[in-house]
Amino acid sequence: MAGKPTISESQKLYVKDVEAQVFVQNVLVGNGVHSKHAKIIADCLVQADLRGVDTHGINRIPSYIERIRQGVLDPKATPSLAQITAVVAQVDGHNGFGFLAAHLGMKNAIKMAKESGIGMVSVKHSNHFGMSAWVVQQALDAGMMSLVFTNSSPALPVWGGKEKLMGVSPIACGAPGNDGKDFILDMAPSIAARGKIFKAKRRGESIPEDWALDKDGNKTTDPAAALEGVMLPMGGPKGSALSVMMDVFSGVLSGSAFAGHVTNPYDTSKPADVGHFLVAIRPDLFISAEKFRERMKYLYGRVVGSQKMAGVERIHFPGEIEILMREERLKSGIPYVAAEIDALDREAELVGAAKIKVNAGAHRTMSKL
Ligand SMILES: NC(=O)c1ccc[n+]([C@@H]2O[C@H](COP(=O)([O-])OP(=O)(O)OC[C@H]3O[C@@H](n4cnc5c(N)ncnc54)[C@H](O)[C@@H]3O)[C@@H](O)[C@H]2O)c1
């Protein structure tokens, strides 16, 4: 079935990452967020846009601010940390931004890993933290391997079920590579992240037929109908099992909501109570750091140098497409559509902050990956 056309290049408006960062910081500060916190949140969102994960970038700002306006997310909350053992800590997000709770959690997981080889942090009473890869990157910037789990609101049936129960909760991990060729896996356990459906709805686009079912259990290409129905898990029962795994480690273990009780980020009736599970691991525990990097370089070469199947031009390492996209967007700016810029500017207007600065001259420089 022919879908609605996607937005053409000429309809895109480009914004430099620094402009997006300043804009988001100002809007957050205008809504009562401490400037030090606003900087962290804005950075996580802009990093998502730079990596091409537009579904979890600054376009999420209106939905987060609406939570503040409705009193279900505390803009002033500062997460707190309790040390449980030498290598285990617990963060309480106090219903503030998920970015802050996860950032504090990974910061301390890294500290413990530096001292003891590994650091594990459970996070409770948090909120949506966007793209998991920014937490993985935080660990990579400190030379650490990591596991980054979160649970999320019901969107996916368990295998054999028909109701939304588990979250489309991403599983993410990373390892430092040689020469910037890091391993970053960040994937939702559904065929596509639900954010991709929100994005299609926002942009008036249709979605592929195999992403979701409508509320009556029929395949649909209409994002609005898909959001009323269920997401389809990747790999059948294996995708739904991964989603249960995210709930065990992030929800059951942390003391946060679980088993279908996390609130959808767009439902402003109550706090979300999201849980996360974060681990940092020093890569030189069993072999030297140098040997580890050499072996990662060898693995990278084996993966991208593998014999290609028909029609494939290039094989990428997990995370590499996003790293290349980031390099491109740092130069070209980040593309948005007019409706997205308008929604962001409306938020700025409400708090008397400056509109987002669109860079008229910027354009895409690289062919689609
Ligand atoms: N916080 C939340 O509750 C939440 C929920 C759902 C999704 N998300 C985020 O949404 C984002 C999108 O998730 P997704 O599952 O749609 O991601 P995706 O399908 O675009 O990518 C998944 C993984 O596969 C790798 N990959 C993709 N194409 C590849 C290729 N051709 N060759 C080699 N590797 C390739 C990517 O590098 C990535 O690591 C993630 O950043 C995730 O954290 C967040």
Side-chain angles (χ1 to χ4, degrees):
M1 194 174 122
K4 289 186 206 162
T6 54
I7 305 289
S8 73
E9 282 309 311
S10 62
Q11 291 170 283
K12 289 184 180 158
L13 300 166
Y14 285 77
V15 174
K16 293 297 284 177
D17 58 302
V18 281
E19 300 293 350
Q21 171 83 27
V22 169
F23 171 84
V24 174
Q25 273 175 228
N26 289 342
V27 170
L28 288 167
V29 168
N31 281 281
V33 179
H34 191 290
S35 59
K36 185 177 74 180
H37 289 165
K39 194 166 181 298
I40 295 172
I41 300 163
D43 187 48
C44 298
L45 292 168
V46 173
Q47 289 308 319
D49 280 339
L50 281 173
R51 287 173 60 84
V53 186
D54 311 307
T55 49
H56 291 74
I58 71 170
N59 281 310
R60 290 281 182 143
I61 276 294
S63 64
Y64 295 146
I65 302 296
E66 187 57 22
R67 298 193 73 73
I68 295 176
R69 277 195 286 265
Q70 298 305 321
V72 292
L73 187 155
D74 181 358
K76 297 195 184 301
T78 298
S80 58
L81 182 118
Q83 199 70 38
I84 309 291
T85 74
V87 292
V88 179
Q90 183 177 36
V91 166
D92 186 331
H94 301 295
N95 193 31
F97 276 91
F99 303 93
L100 303 176
H103 189 269
L104 177 71
M106 183 48 85
K107 185 176 154 196
N108 281 276
I110 292 167
K111 183 167 168 269
M112 292 185 283
K114 280 187 178 158
E115 286 159 7
S116 307
I118 189 163
M120 187 181 102
V121 177
S122 174
V123 183
K124 66 178 175 180
H125 309 325
S126 185
N127 273 283
H128 192 257
F129 70 28
M131 168 189 79
S132 304
W134 72 259
V135 195
V136 173
Q137 189 62 48
Q138 191 185 348
L140 286 171
D141 291 344
M144 296 285 168
M145 300 172 77
S146 63
L147 296 177
V148 175
F149 300 171
T150 183
N151 67 358
S152 57
S153 60
L156 197 83
V158 286
W159 193 242
K162 67 171 190 178
E163 58 165 341
K164 288 181 192 176
L165 182 60
M166 289 294 120
V168 176
S169 309
I171 172 165
C173 56
N178 192 63
D179 210 12
K181 302 203 176 331
D182 299 325
F183 166 76
I184 305 177
L185 171 67
D186 176 14
M187 50 164 245
S190 50
I191 292 174
R194 192 165 42 158
K196 288 182 181 162
I197 300 191
F198 283 117
K199 179 176 148 189
K201 186 170 170 237
R202 219 170 43 230
R203 296 189 170 189
E205 297 172 353
S206 60
I207 55 165
E209 222 180 38
D210 59 349
W211 282 11
L213 301 179
D214 66 17
K215 64 178 173 16
D216 302 316
N218 301 310
K219 287 184 176 177
T220 180
T221 58
D222 174 3
L227 288 168
E228 284 176 19
V230 293
M231 301 291 300
L232 289 171
M234 62 161 207
K238 299 181 222 177
S240 53
L242 280 176
S243 178
V244 176
M245 176 188 167
M246 294 303 99
D247 210 27
V248 172
F249 283 80
S250 310
V252 176
L253 178 69
S254 65
S256 246
F258 67 105
H261 298 295
V262 171
T263 309
N264 183 312
Y266 295 90
D267 170 359
T268 53
S269 66
K270 55 184 187 299
D273 201 15
V274 180
H276 319 303
F277 176 79
L278 314 169
V279 181
I281 305 163
R282 237 175 50 205
D284 61 346
L285 292 173
F286 312 111
I287 50 175
S288 68
E290 196 189 8
K291 198 98 196 135
F292 182 87
R293 286 193 186 260
E294 260 172 39
R295 289 165 72 87
M296 285 299 289
K297 183 179 179 183
Y298 180 70
L299 175 64
Y300 175 85
R302 292 280 288 166
V303 171
V304 304
S306 177
Q307 287 184 18
K308 297 186 274 290
M309 68 184 222
V312 170
E313 273 177 37
R314 176 175 173 179
I315 293 177
H316 293 94
F317 205 51
E320 190 173 24
I321 288 180
E322 290 83 359
I323 291 171
L324 294 172
M325 181 62 84
R326 184 172 184 277
E327 284 166 12
E328 180 196 344
R329 289 188 171 182
L330 280 171
K331 289 186 227 138
S332 69
I334 302 162
Y336 301 101
V337 301
E340 292 167 344
I341 297 288
D342 289 348
L344 290 166
D345 282 343
R346 266 197 302 280
E347 291 300 338
E349 212 177 338
L350 286 172
V351 291
K355 286 185 173 184
I356 195 160
K357 197 168 157 203
V358 173
N359 180 7
H363 60 278
R364 253 180 101 90
T365 53
M366 219 165 89
S367 58
K368 194 166 167 16
L369 291 160

